[in-house]
Amino acid sequence: MSNLFPYKFRQLGDLFLVSNDAGDFFYCKENNLQNLMNKNINSDFEKFLTAKNFIYNNEHDLNWNNHKYKILKRKKLPNKINYFMIIPTLRCDLKCSYCQVSRVDKDLKGYDWDDKILNSFFKFVENYGSNNIKIEFQGGEPTLRLDIISKIINWTKEKNINAEFVICTNLMNLSNEFEEIIQNDKVYLSTSLDGNLEIQSKQRIDNEDKTKVFFKNFDYIFHKYGKKKISALPTFSDFNNVKSTIDKYREIGLNYIYLRPVNYQGFARKKFPESKTQVNKWLNVYFEAIDYIFEKNFHTNENIIEFNLQTNLKRIFSLGHNGHLDLRNPNFAGRDNFIIDYDGKLYPSDESRMISRIGIIDLSIGHVSRGIDDKKISEFNWNQISDVNQDCIHCSYQSYCGVDTVDDLSRYNRIDLPKSETSFCQNQISKFDDIFKRLISNNPKNIYNLSGHLSGIFTLNPPYGRIIYD
Amino acid sequence: MVELSMIKLHSKITHNLSTEDNFVIKISSNKKINVDANNAYMKNLDDKIIIQTLYGEFSIFDDSIAFEENEILLIFPKVSSIKRFFRPNANSNSLLLTEECDQRCIMCSQPPKNKRYDNFSLYKKAVLLMPEYGHLGITGGEPTLFKEPLINFLKDIIEIRNDLTFHILTNGQHFVKEDINNLFILSKNVTWGIPLYSYDEKSHDDIVSKDGAYKRLFDSFNYLLSSGSRVELRTVIMKQNVKHLPKLSELISSQLPWIKVWAIMQLENIGYARMNWDKIFFDNSSDFSNIEKAMSIGLANNINIAFFNFPLCSVPRDYRGYAKNSISDWKNKFIENCDKCQKKDFCTGFFEWHKNDIGYKHIGPEYL
C-alpha cells in the first residue's frame, strides 16, 4: 500500500472537499472519506489518488518530489523588490468621504518628498530593486508633483531599468505636462470610479460640476489611449449601489472590476464605523454581485472579470500566484515590495502605512535614507506565516489562503484572536466555499465564468478534469 | 504557387586547403578581418563565393547560397564539403548529432538510420565561436544515445561560455539517478524537449513503438525535476491521441506542473508522417474541441502552452495568441492563399513539404 500525504477535509453540502498542502484537491462522499481515513483504499481509488497526487510509493519518487515542488511554488516569494508604491505627496485637492489615507489639504507644507528623499529613493532602487520593476505613484494626489514623477521616469530610462508606472490619480487636472507623461507606453493610470454621476458625486467630490470634469477626463483618456491605459476601482459605502456600478463599468467598456467595501482605514474609521464588522452583510452583497456579473457575462459578448474572484481562483489553480499582498502565505514584509511614504518612511503595505498614520501602532520598517529595519521586519514576519497559526494549519483552504496581520491589527488592535473570529478569515472562508461549490455546480454559467476568470478565455470547457470520486 | 526556396545547409566546395583535418571558421566580408585559425574572409563574386582561411581558399559555386556575416561553418576538406553550423540571423540553428534512435515514433519526421555525427571536439570549437547569448538546438535521432560525451561536451562549454543556451530533443529514455548532479550543472543553460503523446501508458508506447517507454520516461521526469532541469514537453497531435489531449492536460497539470512549456504540435509531413499521413493527420481546422478542452485545464493550472506548426488561420481566434512561429526558416513556406493574408508576418506558415490537398480543410484569410 502506498503512502498518503497529509490531507484535510471540509464538508460542502453532500460532498467533502479533500485537499492537501500542495493545493491538490478532490471531492468525495462520506463513505469514501471514511475509506480514506481508514486507509481502506482499493485499486481504483488508489489510481484516482495517484492521479490527484495524494499518494506516493517511495520517498523521492516523482509523486513525492512533485508534492514538494508544489508546496515550494506556493510559498516562494521573489527575492528582489519588484514593486515600489511611493507617496510623493500626501496633499490632495479632493476630500472624499471614505479616504483611506488621511490625506492633507493641498496647500499645506511639509507633506512632500524633498530632493534628499528622491535621491535616497534612487539609491534604494539601485541597491534592492530587481531589473523589472513597477512603480506605483499614490497619494495624496501624486499629480500635484508631476515634476517628481517625470524625474523618476527619466531616471529609470538613464539607468536602463525596465520599469512600468502606475499613477493613481483623481483625474481632476489633465494638464499638458500630465499628458506628456501619459503618452509614455510604460505609464498606466488608475483612478477611482464609484458609479454613475450621482454616486460618484456623492461619495467623492460632492459637486456635480467637478464630477463632470472627472468623467470628461476619463472618457478622453479611455478613448484616446485605449482601455489598457486606464483602470478604475470602485469603493462601496452604500451597498445598494453595487449593481448599478457594475452596469456603469460595463457601459463604459471596462472589463475589470474590484468589488470591495469601504476599507476600515483612515477617515473611513470615523465616518463608516460599521465597516469594521459588516463582513456578512458585504459578503451577501458580493455573492449577489458575482451572480449578477456571471449572468450578464453569459448572455452578452463583453465579459467582466472580478478581481477578488480571480485572485482566489488563481490561488487555488495556478501555482506561484504569489504576487498579491492580500492573499499569500507567507506574506513577508520587506521582500518583494516596499511602500515609501511622503516622509521617506518604509512600510510593508499600504494598510500598514494607514494604521501607522492614525497612531495605532508604528509599522514602519525603516526609512529610505536611513535603511531597512531588519530586526523589526523579522519580528513582524513571524506573524505573516499561516503555518505557525494553530487555526490555519487545520484549515482545508490553507494552501490557497493568505495571512494579513495588519488587517487584524487595524480592526481588533491585536493579532491573537482566533482566526475564525476575524474579518479576514470569515471573508476568505466564505469566498473559497462559494468557489468550491460553484466548481461542482454543473451550472454552465459557473463553468463559463470560472474558466474565463482563470484563463481569460470564457468557454464552457471546465478548467479541471475529473474532480469527484464516487 | 508562390513558394520560397529552401535554405541550403550543406554545400560542396572546391579547395586548395593545406589540411585534411576538419575545422571550423567564422566568416566575414569585412576586408579588415584578420584571417586566423578561427576567422575567415568571404568574397562574393558573380558566379561563386571564395572563402580565405588560414589553410588556404575554398569556393562555392552554388548561387542559391547566401552566407550571413559572422556565420559559422564546419569544413570537411577530405570530402570537399561544408556545413552551415550557425547562422546568426536564423530563427533556429540546430545540430544533428545522430540519426540513430531507440524509438520508432509513427510520425517521426526523420526516420532513424545508422548514421552518427558525434564529432564533439569539432562542435566544441564551433560552439565557442557563437555570439554572446547564442542558442543552439541539438537533435537526432536520439542525442542521449551519446549521453556521457554529450553531457561532458555541454559541461565543458558552459564552464567557458555560461551565456550560451541549448535546446536538446530527446526521448527521455536514458536518464538515470546518477545523472542528477550533472543535469543540475546544465540546468540553467539547457532545455530538454521531450515528447509525451498520451496520458495513457499503452497509447504512448504504441505511438513510440516501444513497450515500457512511458514508464521509463516518467522515471526520467523525476530525475529532471530533481535536478531543476528545464523541460519543454512536446505532444504532436494525431488521430491516435487527439482525444486524449484533455486527460493529458489534466495529467500535466497534476504531475508535471514544473515543465517550462507544453508544446502542442502539428504534424510535419515528411519521414514516417508522410508514409502514414492518412492514418495519423488530424485536421485541427475542422475540429478544435479537444484542444480547447485541454487548453481550458492547462491554462487554468498555469501551464505555459504553445502551439507549434499551426498556421494561424487553422486556430480559433481566442487561441491564436498561443501559436508560435515554430517552423525553422530553412524549411517553412507560405502557400498561394497566404499572399492576401495580413497576418502572414505573424504566422509560422507551412512546412516546405506541406501538400494542400491532403491538409487543412478550413484555412485561408477568410478564416482569420
Side-chain angles (χ1 to χ4, degrees), chain A residues 50-51 53 60-63 65-66 69-70 317-319 451 457 461-463 465-466, chain B residues 218 221-222 225-226 250 254-255 257-258 292-293 296-297 299-302 318-319 322:
Chain A
T50 308
N53 222 93
H60 310 296
D61 68 8
L62 183 59
N63 287 317
N65 283 325
N66 204 14
Y69 169 84
K70 289 182 189 173
F317 281 90
S318 306
L319 290 176
S451 280
I457 301 174
N461 297 311
R466 186 179 170 201
Chain B
F218 273 73
F221 281 147
N222 190 28
L225 168 59
S226 305
E250 209 184 319
S254 166
Q255 310 285 309
W258 44 273
E292 255 186 63
K293 283 180 191 151
S296 194
I297 298 168
L299 293 178
N301 284 283
N302 211 14
D318 278 347
Y319 300 91
Y322 298 93

Side-chain angles (χ1 to χ4, degrees), chain A residues 49-50 58 164 301 327 373 430 444:
Chain A
L49 290 170
T50 308
N58 302 299
E164 276 189 2
N301 289 329
L327 201 68
D373 185 343
S430 301

Side-chain angles (χ1 to χ4, degrees), chain B residues 203-245:
Chain B
S203 310
H204 176 87
D205 288 358
D206 284 350
I207 288 170
V208 304
S209 314
K210 183 178 164 193
D211 287 343
Y214 180 97
K215 271 216 167 82
R216 184 64 188 81
L217 178 56
F218 273 73
D219 287 344
S220 290
F221 281 147
N222 190 28
Y223 310 136
L224 289 159
L225 168 59
S226 305
S227 55
S229 297
R230 292 165 197 263
V231 169
E232 172 194 271
L233 210 59
R234 305 183 135 218
T235 305
V236 175
I237 54 156
M238 292 167 287
K239 282 181 183 147
Q240 281 74 358
N241 68 349
V242 69
K243 281 195 189 120
H244 296 173
L245 220 52

Side-chain angles (χ1 to χ4, degrees), chain A residues 27-61:
Chain A
Y27 304 79
C28 65
K29 293 221 172 97
E30 192 170 353
N31 61 328
N32 280 318
L33 181 64
Q34 290 291 352
N35 286 336
L36 189 68
M37 290 194 289
N38 298 329
K39 295 206 171 173
N40 177 22
I41 295 168
N42 64 26
S43 67
D44 184 58
F45 198 12
E46 184 170 337
K47 217 172 147 192
F48 179 82
L49 290 170
T50 308
K52 290 285 156 200
N53 222 93
F54 273 77
I55 53 182
Y56 63 98
N57 286 314
N58 302 299
E59 286 187 17
H60 310 296
D61 68 8

Side-chain angles (χ1 to χ4, degrees), chain A residues 200-343:
Chain A
Q200 182 82 355
S201 301
K202 192 175 155 207
Q203 290 198 174
R204 300 189 57 77
I205 307 169
D206 218 11
N207 175 332
E208 275 207 10
D209 288 337
K210 277 193 183 174
T211 307
K212 279 179 187 159
V213 172
F214 164 81
F215 275 112
K216 195 180 130 226
N217 289 343
F218 185 92
D219 279 350
Y220 172 78
I221 300 285
F222 192 78
H223 290 113
K224 181 164 178 192
Y225 298 97
K227 56 171 80 173
K228 280 198 178 142
K229 194 69 171 183
I230 185 163
S231 58
L233 274 172
T235 299
F236 299 101
S237 55
D238 181 349
F239 294 171
N240 295 319
N241 293 336
V242 174
K243 282 185 185 170
S244 83
T245 299
I246 294 169
D247 289 342
K248 181 73 187 170
Y249 272 59
R250 212 180 268 282
E251 177 199 315
I252 294 175
L254 287 163
N255 300 116
Y256 213 66
I257 194 165
Y258 182 8
L259 299 179
R260 50 175 197 169
V262 165
N263 202 347
Y264 186 63
Q265 294 285 7
F267 290 165
R269 293 171 78 98
K270 284 184 195 147
K271 288 214 173 163
F272 304 98
E274 68 279 9
S275 63
K276 180 176 171 181
T277 50
Q278 56 187 357
V279 183
N280 287 325
K281 194 175 160 205
W282 166 252
L283 282 171
N284 289 336
V285 174
Y286 174 78
F287 292 132
E288 256 181 54
I290 293 294
D291 283 336
Y292 185 66
I293 290 172
F294 278 21
E295 179 76 23
K296 282 269 169 83
N297 281 354
F298 196 66
H299 292 293
T300 59
N301 289 329
E302 283 291 310
N303 293 307
I304 283 188
I305 284 177
E306 199 279 317
F307 179 79
N308 282 283
L309 177 64
Q310 186 179 50
T311 303
N312 290 327
L313 271 169
K314 288 201 169 186
R315 288 285 302 167
I316 296 169
F317 281 90
S318 306
L319 290 176
H321 195 74
N322 306 341
H324 291 295
L325 297 186
D326 330 0
L327 201 68
R328 64 179 187 180
N329 169 49
N331 193 10
F332 291 149
R335 179 62 77 90
D336 53 345
N337 74 297
F338 272 97
I339 317 296
I340 307 170
D341 209 353
Y342 72 95
D343 54 2

